Amino acid sequence: MTVLTEDRARYWLDRWDRQQEHYMPDREERFAVLGDVLDELIPRPDPLIVDLGTGPGSLATRLVARFPGARVVGVDADPLLLGLADLARGSARFRTVTADLRQRGWYEALGLDRAPDAFVSTTALHWMNRPPLRDLLAVCGEVLAPGGVFVNGDHLYEGDAGPRLDTLNRALTQRRAARAGVARDEDWAAWWQAVEAAPELAGLVAERAGGFAHEVTDRPSVHDYLAFLREAGFAEAGAVWQVGDDRIVVGIR
């Protein structure tokens, strides 16, 4: 039996970063801007941050490196991505929790010792339909520490308010990817195909099989995000960064 080592897990996570850049040519800038938001709005030196849909911990790793006093708790429902994150990136300052953000009880499963200062997410919540997203943001607004923030970076859409703008934004992202040279990188489907064929990942692949699926039938727009944040009690909500259809949305409690 082939054993998954820490080095091999890091190989797959490095490869994950490259395939994500296929869709997000400005991914590192998005991470940096998200960190800038926390730097500007969270005054304490030891913030407690919850990473929603943490996947393999790409955002969490960057936040731990940027904020030496921070603790990050990452929550996700994908056992394969969490398994890679735990082996390659787990530490006293970054731990993961298995929970489905679409189901009640996800926040209680985190086992936090105090109210979080920030909820963050990147390239994850677009998998949610509008009703569970509204419920998720309601929980975030209820449990955040005073002055806390919600920050989400993702491909967000105008929806019915701007179908031609949606088409334009997607085209602008594709043009940016072509200029950056990342359009030639391995894509999502190719990465997963390689993962499923890797002997060292057979156990995690088997754990994932049959129990994890996304089906988006009621996709939220950027306008839904802002409305849901205000409904959840956030005093201010808006988009603070955009390249094509790639945006960062912030809610300030």
Side-chain angles (χ1 to χ4, degrees), residues 178-196:
R179 287 196 298 273
V182 298
R184 298 184 297 271
D185 290 352
E186 179 178 55
D187 65 10
W188 169 272
W191 188 87
W192 280 105
Q193 185 177 14
V195 161
E196 291 171 359

Side-chain angles (χ1 to χ4, degrees), residues 233-249:
F234 287 84
E236 299 178 45
V240 300
W241 178 87
Q242 179 176 356
V243 177
D245 62 358
D246 194 5
R247 312 187 202 212
I248 293 177
V249 169

Side-chain angles (χ1 to χ4, degrees), residues 35-44 117 147-149 151 250-252:
D36 290 344
V37 172
L38 299 183
D39 217 3
E40 290 286 338
L41 297 179
I42 304 297
R44 62 184 298 163
D117 301 290
V149 298
V151 193
V250 175
I252 305 174

